Amino acid sequence: MTIYKPEIAKINRIEKLTKTESLLDIELLSGKSLGHQPGQFVEVSVFGVGEAPISISSAPSDLATFQLCVRAIGNVTSALCGKKPGDKIGIRGPFGKGFELKHFKGKDILFVAGGLGLAPLRSLIWSVLNSRKDYGKVYILYGAKIPQELLFKEELKNWKEREDVEYHVTVDVGDEKWQDNVGVITTLFPYIQFDPAKTQAVIVGPPIMYRFVIRELKNHGTPDKKIWVSLERKMKCGVGKCGHCQINDIYVCQDGPVFNYEKLKNLPEAI
Amino acid sequence: MKKPKVGFFEFTCCEGCQLTVLSLGDKLLDLFESVDIVNFREASSYKGQDYEIAFIEGSISTSKDIERIKEIRARAKICVALGACAHLGGVNAIRNFQRQSDVRWRTYGDKAWLFDSILAQPIDAVIKVDHVIPECPIDKKEFLRATASILLGKKPFIPDYPVCVDCKMKANVCLFHKPNPIACMGPVTRAGCGAVCPSVGNACEGCRGLIPDPNLSAWEEVLKEHGLSIEDILKFYHMYNGLMGVRR
Amino acid sequence: MSGKDIRVDVHHIARVEGHGNIVVDVKRGELKEVKLEIVESPRFFEAMLVGRRYPEAVHITSRICGICSVSHANASIKAIEDALGIKPTWQTEVLRKILMAAEIMDSHALHCFFLAAPDFVGAPSVIPLASTSPEVVKTAIRWKKLAHDICDTIVGRHTQPISMVVDGFTNRVTEDQMRELRSKIKEVLENDVPKTLEFFSKLKIPAFERKTDNVCLTQPGEYAFYDGAIKSSKTGEYKHRDYKLKIAEQVVSHSTAKQAFGPVKPYMVGALSRFNNNFDQLMPKAKEVAEKLGLEAPSHNPYQITNAQIVETVHCMEFMMKLFDELLSRGIKDEREERPPIAGWTTKLPPINKSWGVGVVEAPRGLLVHEYKFNNDGMIESANCIIPTAQNLANIEADMRKLVPGILDRPKEEITLLLEMLVRAYDPCISCSTHMLKVDFIE
Amino acid sequence: MKKMKNCVVTKRELLDLIDRKIGEGKEVIAPAKQENQANFKRIKSTREILWEGPQTVIPPKAFLFPQEEELMEYEVNDEIKVKVKVEGKPIILLGIHPCDMNGTTLLDKVFAENNLDEHYLKKREFVTIIGAECLVPCSTESFCYRKESVLPLEGFDLFLTDMGKNFFVEVGSKKGKSLISKIARKTTPSDAKKLRKIRRVRDNLFDKEQRKLKPKLEDLPKLLRENYDSPVWDEHGSRCFNCGSCNMVCPTCYCFDVRDYMELNLKRGNRTRFWDGCLLTDFTKVASGEIFREGRGARLRHRTNRKDWYLFEKWERSFCTGCGRCGKACLTKIVDPLDIENELYDRWKR
Ligand SMILES: Cc1cc2nc3c(=O)[nH]c(=O)nc-3n(C[C@H](O)[C@H](O)[C@H](O)COP(=O)(O)OP(=O)(O)OC[C@H]3O[C@@H](n4cnc5c(N)ncnc54)[C@H](O)[C@@H]3O)c2cc1C
Ligand code: SF4
Ligand code: SF4
Ligand code: SF4
């Protein structure tokens, strides 16, 4: 064994969520559970094509299967999305520091997801919703460019219908059928009334979204240490060697991808 | 699995890239086994028109070339530019920077009017190119790796970093630092060749094209310090990169 | 069957380097027209050289042709050295001779096995041959690889050599490398040659003869590739600078390759001419091979060019072994410090103002001439490159004029094949003669 | 590491010993002349060794962390078979300069940190490092004295100091000890005295000849932190080619890229890592096209900060050994850490 050797896994199911994103159910051939924390990622190999870091999108469980939500944007991700049930891939991980539930237990939680950011966040959202009574209020704000790009449409419906979740959705550009909010994600903030002192805010989305959402949160008086983000960087190893994901003196794959804003704000290269 | 059908085509060039394919050694047999070569004039009389992947060598330099390459594009699913002539115009484009009437007269004298010729162009000036395998001539290893990538449906890896990376990996003494220094285009040229030229002591002439973000002002400064005039520097560019320079 | 109309129009003859067409027009059994058209795009190399510094000419002109780029580089270098009045060192010249021999070996192997052999066994290409006669194809691959290994070691790569420059090499080779290459040649020479002979001795060479003028380099002491005087079997010998007395180029409208006509026109260059003129100087094994193939000097059958190439290939291997031995016995030196080679954009270029020079070598397909004139600033003022295939075109047309009337009674497919085989036998390198093949029958 | 007994050997005996090893087929790699510079080569005789030559173009990291290294091969059929390549072969690296030994020691640390990189560590296990002290500066570019790198910290098997007819040998490992056990002789007080004298002379010479580092060595992290936004970065950066030469030649640069290659039959393939460098534009470029560390200046700053701030703070030692290779390799003369740090210091003081 070396840190670079992938374990062989099987794709059990593959579901096309949108034009570019697919959800893959994956099972390690060893039958072992992945044993991940929400927010962690795995390095996924398509042999001959390469490896890519992908967040685990399902909540931790004892089952041997887990889910990845993949956007076909390059070589590995396109190859993954083109796979069929039964195809074999390689998995290394889980890697990185995820969301430690102890920081969230008993607190109100504000989830802010932009685009594909919902994929990693979903893992935490379901961890929370699966033991709903351990947490305070739950807000979910979700934005996408256009309605067709919204992920996990069934789950969104569920969240919308649930009494114990306050869910709001927005798109940058709507269409005839779109009845919800139109505008960037920060335009959802007026819909909710959260208590900054009690709330842990978790943001995952494209790099430029962070700047605006953090400013919004701070305007509401959220202290830095109650803001959590998950960052994306180029990665080649996932284990703190290759140097690609370095942000000033930290490594996203080791010290993240989940960071508390208190720490990040001192890293000029971070956001 | 059905073998993909492949065609090789050439336009204005020395055919060195196709010859490089024929010189793949044992790997040539692997190529014959992995793909069905339906069109390869240099090696075969059989001329199939049902190819999926077209490897195109040479630059466009007559009006007939334009028609022919458009036909190839219409038939092929994937068009791959093979070598500097197809990728950049190659050495053929040197003449683009001279008076065309002079050029024709010097070669064909008073019969120059007999021949159809237009400015030499890379093939992507006429058709959409899916992949490029650069260099003059193509590198065998890169061709094999790139072809396997294309068969796999993956974009071939062609570095965007400069030749100095390859050169340093080869542990070469930089040409600028030798007792008899030679000016080198390595710092602004796309790597992937394994720095073949500097490795045997001769200058990189830029046959793989400029990198996407070349620091030309810094490079020109280095060349001037080395004693080259602006005119020299332009000639140096024009060996392979005249057209890229124009586009930038 | 006489009295019929035949028009052969082969467009883009396959398995030759470059594009060419054959046009044969027979009206009522009488031959009206025979043409070998070159439809390759014009290349304009002579014009591209104008205004360039001389070290650049080597790399620009080697791009004239991928298969004989070493020959072009050598011709270019020699023309420049002629103008500069430089005589390169013994070691440099020996290494250049090895490179020439390796290139001729590579080019001949490509032609004999990949391009000509399929004709003799009735296959469209080498690709099916790879499964029907795998041993033959593998031998070809081994030979080519050997030639490439030699060039790669000495000049960085074969197609478009890198480190051969004016007055030397920009890299250095080691004795270990030379010993390794020598042992590789020895292995191929001992193991492959007998098998190859078996294959080629079974091939049926069409019977046809036409006496022509054989032109090539000739030199005392060795079978000339790299240096020597220009020898015509009909008109005698010429010094390299007097090449125009033998070769004057002429542009003909049907081809972008300039046809060459000498005062005694037409003439033949290439393997068979060298074999005919310089037979005595072949290495011993090569002579044995000629005998086994039934090839005697002089031969007037152009279809025998393929066999002459096999003979030369064997000669090249022996010759290279001999040169390696000489190199190793004298020891290999790094000559770059004492005599810095003149390459690329160096600041110190020896002046070449107002002079001119001619370089002549034997490329795989025959005599190759580069001539440059330099202006006041030492830049190239004008250039002339005479390519072997261009010299052979008139001879091929003359062969066709003699051949066609004799075979008119045969089926059209056979006529076409015989014509294509004839053209292919000359191993025309068209990309470089544009500075030509397709047979259309018009009925 | 437990301190082992130092000893003395005659030069002749040691060289003969090595030559015998070479004769027995042992791979010995040492700096040898390459044109007007030097490079590590497999030597056939100790006579080829360039003891006091210029710095080799490429540091010895190439033998532990090669330019191109296959991490695994695989076969893809219905089943996928992966074969990891963790391999090492016994080699002797001889005549390594102290700065390079320190470079190697630093690499030992990072590759063994948290997640063990077996590919590196396996090669390392098999390598015997015999260092040689520099008694004159190897080049005008080097500034090892300023980086406290004229002597190795650890990480060698043997460390030789030229004392005329003899080598004074510091023994760093059992491997080193057993190698010379037959020819080693005990040190005498006069040997120790002689060594101290040689080093005193050496220190003086290096102090006189090498360029000065204006800030204090231990203040470098602070200097870099406080000058994060200095215009120096962009001024130097504007002349950067992003050619990565500075990364490639550095004994402590260890970033890598990983790529998969398939054979034409699409059945067999391999995963290979290659040297990479933070000065290359694509280093942080992701599939969407975004470059996270954009700007030539920002990349140059990252490299410098990594050496003398981020990793310095983490490992309590500068990750620049002062070997001077990057300053020499850089065609536009912008990357030398000492020059940059002095310039930052000058402007900062003002
Ligand atoms: C911690 C983390 C979690 C991620 N989670 C997901 C997820 O859940 N779903 C998803 O679709 N994508 C996710 N990504 C992004 C995903 O890794 C990239 O889209 C992917 O690496 C692109 O690789 P490729 O081979 O398809 O692209 P190519 O462009 O063909 O390859 C480029 C190379 O650059 C690297 N690279 C390119 N883009 C990125 C990127 N954005 N991040 C990191 N490395 C990159 C890869 O190593 C890849 O080998 C995540 C990235 C990180 C760092
Ligand atoms: S020789 Fe050329 S490619 Fe090599 S390092 Fe120097 S400038 Fe770069
Ligand atoms: S930063 Fe430069 S001087 Fe310092 S160790 Fe690396 S290459 Fe040597
Ligand atoms: S700093 Fe110098 S050596 Fe480093 S990438 Fe820039 S130009 Fe190249």
Side-chain angles (χ1 to χ4, degrees):
Chain A
M1 263 319 265
T2 85
I3 45 172
Y4 304 118
K5 183 175 177 176
E7 230 189 296
I8 308 298
K10 190 170 91 211
I11 297 176
N12 284 340
R13 204 175 67 96
I14 180 156
E15 181 192 342
K16 213 166 150 66
L17 297 178
T18 70
K19 231 165 88 191
T20 49
E21 279 98 357
S22 297
L23 185 68
L24 286 81
D25 284 15
I26 293 165
E27 182 181 354
L28 295 175
L29 284 192
S30 65
K32 280 193 300 215
S33 145
L34 191 61
H36 70 281
Q37 229 183 15
Q40 282 191 302
F41 66 96
V42 284
E43 282 282 349
V44 187
S45 287
V46 182
F47 292 95
V49 180
E51 223 179 8
I54 305 288
S55 303
I56 303 148
S57 195
S58 51
S61 79
D62 299 334
L63 301 176
T65 61
F66 57 93
Q67 292 180 317
L68 302 177
C69 171
V70 181
R71 171 179 288 176
I73 184 167
N75 284 325
V76 175
T77 45
S78 304
L80 273 174
C81 291
K83 291 274 169 201
K84 292 185 296 299
D87 285 351
K88 309 234 167 52
I89 56 173
I91 297 287
R92 290 193 295 132
F95 293 135
K97 292 208 172 65
F99 298 100
E100 278 184 65
L101 293 178
K102 67 172 196 236
H103 297 303
F104 299 89
K105 289 248 163 80
K107 308 273 169 48
D108 294 356
I109 309 175
L110 167 57
F111 293 106
V112 186
L116 189 58
L118 187 59
L121 207 51
R122 177 177 175 256
S123 173
L124 179 61
I125 293 177
W126 282 111
S127 300
V128 169
L129 296 185
N130 287 346
S131 40
R132 183 65 189 87
K133 59 181 189 330
D134 296 347
Y135 301 88
K137 287 189 184 152
V138 171
Y139 309 87
I140 303 178
L141 307 184
Y142 177 37
K145 280 206 196 82
I146 49 170
Q148 290 78 5
E149 284 185 9
L150 292 169
L151 302 168
F152 306 108
K153 296 207 177 66
E154 287 303 306
E155 288 167 42
L156 301 183
K157 228 187 268 160
N158 171 300
W159 297 343
K160 190 167 192 163
E161 282 158 9
R162 280 171 85 131
E163 297 279 308
D164 57 354
V165 172
E166 200 176 321
Y167 166 80
H168 297 281
V169 63
T170 184
V171 293
D172 294 353
V173 186
D175 59 16
E176 311 87 75
K177 281 189 268 157
W178 185 253
Q179 289 176 346
D180 286 299
N181 193 64
V182 176
V184 296
I185 192 128
T186 42
T187 59
L188 291 178
F189 274 82
Y191 295 102
I192 57 167
Q193 231 129 37
F194 65 100
D195 177 358
K198 289 200 323 209
T199 310
Q200 295 283 6
V202 194
I203 325 168
V204 191
I208 81 146
M209 191 186 97
Y210 291 113
R211 236 166 284 148
F212 293 104
V213 175
I214 290 170
R215 194 191 299 152
E216 189 71 35
L217 288 168
K218 300 199 54 152
N219 286 344
H220 282 79
T222 314
D224 293 345
K225 60 175 194 298
K226 291 206 158 116
I227 303 176
W228 302 82
V229 303
S230 173
L231 293 186
E232 217 185 89
R233 282 298 184 273
K234 179 162 168 174
M235 283 177 194
K236 280 298 180 181
C237 72
V239 291
K241 304 283 182 231
C242 78
H244 288 270
C245 71
Q246 204 175 357
I247 299 178
N248 298 107
D249 60 341
I250 59 110
Y251 277 84
V252 174
C253 67
Q254 298 284 287
D255 308 298
V258 172
F259 292 96
N260 189 281
Y261 185 62
E262 178 80 6
K263 176 163 187 184
L264 270 196
K265 66 177 186 199
N266 299 318
L267 303 177
E269 289 182 336
I271 292 176
Chain B
M1 204 175 68
K2 228 179 93 245
K3 289 206 256 177
K5 292 191 165 139
V6 169
F8 285 84
F9 303 90
E10 69 285 297
F11 290 85
T12 304
C13 62
C14 79
E15 307 198 1
C17 293
Q18 285 195 34
L19 284 162
T20 303
V21 174
L22 289 177
S23 304
L24 283 171
D26 292 340
K27 298 282 179 210
L28 181 64
L29 299 176
D30 292 354
L31 183 70
F32 288 168
E33 258 165 42
S34 316
V35 300
D36 191 2
I37 299 181
V38 297
N39 204 313
F40 195 163
R41 194 197 42 79
E42 191 160 290
S44 171
S45 325
Y46 177 65
K47 286 171 199 155
Q49 299 301 344
D50 51 342
Y51 39 86
E52 289 145 41
I53 306 174
F55 287 101
I56 306 172
E57 184 195 5
S59 42
I60 304 301
S61 73
T62 66
S63 42
K64 280 208 191 81
D65 286 352
I66 295 182
E67 289 160 37
R68 200 174 131 234
I69 199 163
K70 283 187 175 159
E71 270 167 40
I72 294 170
R73 176 71 261 189
R75 289 202 174 96
K77 283 203 197 80
I78 298 174
C79 285
V80 187
L82 211 55
C85 295
H87 172 210
L88 306 166
V91 290
N92 304 307
I94 291 176
R95 68 175 168 91
N96 290 13
F97 301 91
Q98 301 170 317
R99 275 240 311 274
Q100 293 310 295
S101 50
D102 284 0
V103 168
R104 295 155 137 264
W105 188 84
R106 272 182 202 282
T107 313
Y108 296 112
D110 57 2
K111 302 260 173 44
W113 55 272
L114 285 170
F115 306 104
D116 169 22
S117 104
I118 57 176
L119 288 181
Q121 302 165 59
I123 63 171
D124 73 350
V126 182
I127 59 160
K128 179 182 164 281
V129 171
D130 301 290
H131 304 294
V132 172
I133 302 178
E135 209 168 316
C136 179
I138 54 166
D139 177 83
K140 290 176 195 165
K141 196 165 172 184
E142 191 170 68
F143 171 79
L144 287 166
R145 285 176 162 179
T147 304
S149 276
I150 292 167
L151 296 180
L152 206 60
K154 164 181 164 187
K155 190 171 182 291
F157 174 81
I158 308 290
D160 277 344
Y161 51 74
V163 177
C164 294
V165 172
D166 285 6
C167 195
K168 283 289 166 307
M169 290 209 206
K170 285 274 169 74
N172 294 331
V173 173
C174 177
L175 294 167
F176 283 99
H177 294 147
K178 295 204 179 189
N180 297 296
I182 299 182
C184 175
M185 231 168 125
V188 292
T189 303
R190 186 187 296 278
C193 51
V196 264
C197 299
S199 300
V200 292
N202 214 341
C204 167
E205 294 172 328
C207 74
R208 293 177 59 95
L210 299 178
I211 51 169
D213 61 337
N215 195 339
L216 295 174
S217 58
W219 185 64
E220 285 159 18
E221 234 172 274
V222 170
L223 293 185
K224 279 185 209 152
E225 276 163 32
H226 184 80
L228 271 73
S229 66
I230 290 288
E231 214 185 2
D232 294 339
I233 294 172
L234 277 176
K235 275 186 206 158
F236 205 1
Y237 275 126
H238 290 175
M239 178 104 187
Y240 287 102
N241 288 288
L243 298 185
M244 280 192 101
V246 171
R247 276 191 221 157
R248 108 180 118 101
Chain C
M1 285 265 282
S2 69
K4 70 177 175 180
D5 287 356
I6 299 178
R7 184 164 162 112
V8 183
D9 240 330
V10 178
H11 279 280
H12 291 196
I13 304 184
R15 284 183 280 131
V16 296
E17 251 223 299
H19 294 191
N21 307 335
I22 299 173
V23 179
V24 173
D25 196 0
V26 178
K27 290 250 157 60
R28 288 180 294 281
E30 198 184 317
L31 184 61
K32 288 278 181 231
E33 186 179 20
V34 177
K35 255 192 331 201
L36 190 49
E37 295 180 337
I38 293 191
V39 291
E40 183 97 354
S41 320
R43 306 286 310 274
F44 304 113
F45 272 96
E46 283 113 327
M48 274 156 32
L49 290 170
V50 174
R52 292 257 159 191
R53 292 154 84 259
Y54 61 86
E56 292 178 274
V58 182
H59 283 180
I60 295 178
T61 54
S62 69
R63 265 83 189 170
I64 292 179
C65 170
I67 188 96
C68 39
S69 48
V70 165
S71 306
H72 278 284
N74 259 335
S76 180
I77 290 170
K78 284 182 66 188
I80 295 164
E81 288 172 349
D82 190 39
L84 286 167
I86 291 178
K87 167 88 178 143
T89 64
W90 176 85
Q91 179 174 305
T92 293
E93 294 211 300
V94 170
L95 287 170
R96 287 184 190 165
K97 285 179 188 176
I98 292 174
L99 289 163
M100 291 294 295
E103 175 161 285
I104 289 174
M105 172 179 172
D106 178 53
S107 177
H108 285 359
L110 179 79
H111 177 242
C112 297
F113 290 96
F114 283 17
L115 310 182
D119 274 340
F120 295 116
V121 297
S125 83
V126 65
I127 301 167
L129 218 59
S131 34
T132 54
S133 322
E135 261 318 303
V136 177
V137 176
K138 281 185 186 152
T139 310
I141 284 177
R142 270 196 299 277
W143 290 20
K144 281 177 63 59
K145 182 159 188 319
L146 174 59
H148 280 254
D149 286 349
I150 295 168
C151 294
D152 291 354
T153 310
I154 304 178
V155 280
R157 71 182 159 212
H158 174 211
T159 308
Q160 313 315 353
I162 302 161
S163 63
M164 53 195 300
V165 298
V166 177
D167 202 19
F169 292 85
T170 57
N171 60 335
R172 68 167 297 204
V173 289
T174 64
E175 286 170 22
D176 284 349
Q177 287 173 318
M178 298 299 106
R179 262 189 284 274
E180 196 188 320
L181 292 175
R182 190 197 176 278
S183 73
K184 281 187 188 165
I185 301 179
K186 188 163 182 265
E187 200 187 303
V188 164
L189 199 52
E190 281 169 5
N191 296 341
D192 284 351
V193 171
K195 279 181 276 183
T196 311
L197 279 184
E198 218 175 291
F199 177 78
F200 280 96
S201 59
K202 280 192 240 141
L203 301 182
K204 280 212 188 59
I205 304 280
F208 170 72
E209 280 196 346
R210 188 181 70 82
K211 260 197 180 142
T212 183
D213 182 5
N214 292 118
V215 174
C216 67
L217 285 181
T218 202
Q219 188 184 14
E222 71 190 40
Y223 192 87
F225 288 139
Y226 171 70
D227 213 358
I230 300 167
K231 175 180 175 174
S232 151
S233 58
K234 292 200 172 146
T235 60
E237 288 188 18
Y238 307 81
K239 288 208 192 85
H240 72 280
R241 283 195 171 203
D242 295 337
Y243 74 93
K244 280 191 179 135
L245 296 177
K246 184 68 202 168
I247 314 160
E249 271 195 305
Q250 179 182 328
V251 178
V252 291
S253 61
H254 61 260
S255 80
T256 41
K258 299 191 270 188
Q259 285 196 2
F261 294 97
V264 185
K265 51 180 185 177
Y267 62 87
M268 178 198 250
V269 296
L272 195 59
S273 284
R274 292 188 292 249
F275 176 85
N276 287 346
N277 286 356
N278 295 335
F279 175 82
D280 289 341
Q281 291 165 320
L282 281 169
M283 301 288 287
K285 267 219 176 74
K287 281 188 184 151
E288 276 171 38
V289 166
E291 201 184 313
K292 292 220 176 80
L293 290 172
L295 180 63
E296 278 173 41
S299 162
H300 304 295
N301 179 353
Y303 290 102
Q304 287 283 15
I305 295 174
T306 307
N307 277 334
Q309 289 187 337
I310 297 282
V311 173
E312 279 195 340
T313 306
V314 174
H315 167 84
C316 285
M317 289 191 246
E318 293 175 275
F319 185 55
M320 284 191 280
M321 293 233 312
K322 180 175 162 246
L323 295 178
F324 279 127
D325 288 340
E326 286 173 18
L327 270 178
L328 287 166
S329 73
R330 283 222 206 173
I332 295 177
K333 289 176 270 310
D334 189 354
E335 299 177 325
R336 292 173 298 177
E337 250 167 73
E338 275 162 51
R339 264 181 95 145
I342 304 166
W345 295 89
T346 45
T347 32
K348 305 167 230 161
L349 277 187
I352 199 165
N353 306 356
K354 272 285 172 211
S355 79
W356 68 289
V358 176
V360 188
V361 297
E362 280 292 334
R365 286 153 195 77
L367 205 66
L368 171 67
V369 185
H370 281 212
E371 178 186 350
Y372 309 137
K373 285 197 177 69
F374 300 91
N375 67 14
N376 270 334
D377 305 324
M379 305 287 173
I380 297 178
E381 187 175 86
S382 68
N384 188 18
C385 305
I386 299 179
I387 275 89
T389 299
Q391 300 169 65
N392 272 335
L393 290 179
N395 204 57
I396 301 177
E397 287 186 352
D399 280 347
M400 294 200 295
R401 269 194 295 274
K402 179 163 182 198
L403 175 70
V404 170
I407 55 173
L408 275 179
D409 52 341
R410 305 204 194 163
K412 203 171 86 175
E413 290 71 37
E414 208 182 314
I415 304 178
T416 306
L417 181 67
L418 280 168
L419 286 170
E420 277 197 289
M421 281 173 73
L422 176 74
V423 175
R424 273 202 287 269
Y426 277 87
D427 188 11
C429 171
I430 290 160
S431 45
C432 66
S433 48
T434 44
H435 129 107
M436 131 189 162
L437 281 167
K438 129 181 171 163
V439 187
D440 265 0
F441 277 98
I442 298 189
E443 279 160 284
Chain D
M1 212 187 313
K2 220 176 79 211
K3 190 95 175 128
M4 283 191 224
K5 270 231 161 69
N6 298 334
C7 58
V8 168
V9 297
T10 67
K11 272 189 190 166
R12 195 61 271 151
E13 275 180 317
L14 182 79
L15 297 182
D16 285 346
L17 177 86
I18 303 284
D19 281 326
R20 268 203 309 282
K21 295 260 169 208
I22 295 174
E24 288 160 10
K26 184 93 179 174
E27 197 168 319
V28 177
I29 290 165
K33 190 171 140 59
Q34 174 167 313
E35 301 173 59
N36 54 340
Q37 293 186 31
N39 240 328
F40 286 107
K41 285 204 181 111
R42 183 174 179 168
I43 52 164
K44 286 190 199 146
S45 149
T46 49
R47 265 169 300 156
E48 292 171 48
I49 304 176
L50 211 58
W51 295 97
E52 276 180 12
Q55 200 57 274
T56 53
V57 175
I58 292 292
K61 69 173 178 186
F63 299 94
L64 301 165
F65 167 56
Q67 289 86 329
E68 180 173 344
E69 179 181 22
E70 223 173 81
L71 298 177
M72 62 198 75
E73 322 173 295
Y74 41 76
E75 258 187 72
V76 181
N77 290 307
D78 296 338
E79 295 298 316
I80 295 175
K81 281 196 206 112
V82 182
K83 196 172 140 235
V84 174
K85 293 180 111 175
V86 176
E87 294 161 356
K89 64 177 173 198
I91 56 174
I92 295 177
L93 289 178
L94 177 61
I96 309 295
H97 294 194
C99 58
D100 280 349
M101 274 182 283
N102 288 333
T104 308
T105 305
L106 296 174
L107 291 191
D108 291 349
K109 287 182 197 288
V110 296
F111 279 113
E113 183 204 7
N114 300 334
N115 304 303
L116 304 185
D117 188 310
E118 284 96 339
H119 303 269
Y120 176 94
L121 295 172
K122 188 56 119 198
K123 291 195 178 58
R124 185 67 181 90
E125 193 184 315
F126 279 93
V127 168
T128 307
I129 295 186
I130 307 182
E133 183 160 359
C134 297
L135 298 177
V136 290
C138 64
S139 69
T140 50
E141 289 88 9
S142 62
F143 51 96
C144 50
Y145 188 70
R146 311 297 173 202
K147 294 313 250 315
E148 293 177 359
S149 219
V150 282
L151 286 176
L153 302 167
E154 52 187 310
F156 55 86
D157 297 289
L158 296 170
F159 179 58
L160 314 173
T161 306
D162 190 328
M163 298 208 300
K165 260 177 74 174
N166 293 336
F167 282 127
F168 187 94
V169 189
E170 272 178 61
V171 181
S173 72
K174 284 211 184 98
K175 208 166 20 177
K177 190 176 169 186
S178 67
L179 187 74
I180 53 160
S181 57
K182 289 214 178 77
I183 56 170
R185 153 169 90 61
K186 271 200 195 122
T187 57
T188 63
S190 89
D191 291 329
K193 209 175 134 196
K194 203 168 170 189
L195 180 72
R196 277 198 302 277
K197 188 174 168 223
I198 288 175
R199 290 204 170 145
R200 217 167 34 242
V201 172
R202 196 270 325 275
D203 280 354
N204 284 334
L205 181 69
F206 276 57
D207 190 28
K208 197 171 98 224
E209 297 218 333
Q210 288 193 334
R211 294 170 294 149
K212 301 251 177 320
L213 177 67
K214 296 180 184 171
K216 282 210 208 81
L217 182 58
E218 64 271 22
D219 287 346
L220 287 178
K222 181 164 178 257
L223 174 81
L224 292 169
R225 186 182 303 113
E226 308 223 337
N227 287 286
Y228 191 84
D229 294 316
S230 165
V232 166
W233 301 117
D234 281 338
E235 284 166 27
H236 280 239
S238 67
R239 286 168 52 89
C240 173
F241 287 129
N242 304 315
C243 75
S245 294
C246 51
N247 295 122
M248 304 297 128
V249 302
C250 179
T252 68
C253 274
Y254 61 90
C255 292
F256 58 84
D257 189 13
V258 180
R259 304 201 281 269
D260 277 39
Y261 287 108
M262 209 60 157
E263 284 178 24
L264 276 177
N265 60 18
L266 307 187
K267 296 235 173 300
R268 272 187 314 274
N270 64 69
R271 182 164 290 167
T272 302
R273 71 170 162 202
F274 298 81
W275 286 0
D276 205 342
C278 59
L279 265 291
L280 305 178
T281 316
D282 276 7
F283 189 72
T284 56
K285 187 172 170 182
V286 293
S288 54
E290 188 161 0
I291 297 175
F292 281 102
R293 198 176 295 115
E294 203 148 19
R296 302 179 200 271
R299 292 189 283 263
L300 182 63
R301 171 177 64 200
H302 181 72
R303 180 178 189 277
T304 318
N305 283 353
R306 208 170 129 107
K307 306 277 171 214
D308 277 334
W309 168 8
Y310 310 150
L311 291 168
F312 194 142
E313 274 192 344
K314 179 169 179 182
W315 296 100
E316 293 173 348
R317 187 175 168 85
S318 169
F319 259 60
C320 166
T321 67
C323 73
R325 285 190 179 89
C326 57
K328 165 115 196 156
C330 180
L331 285 175
T332 62
K333 300 278 165 252
I334 55 166
V335 76
D336 186 282
L338 184 114
D339 284 350
I340 294 181
E341 285 152 3
N342 283 347
E343 197 171 335
L344 289 174
Y345 183 79
D346 284 347
R347 296 207 198 179
W348 189 41
K349 285 277 121 182
R350 258 196 275 128

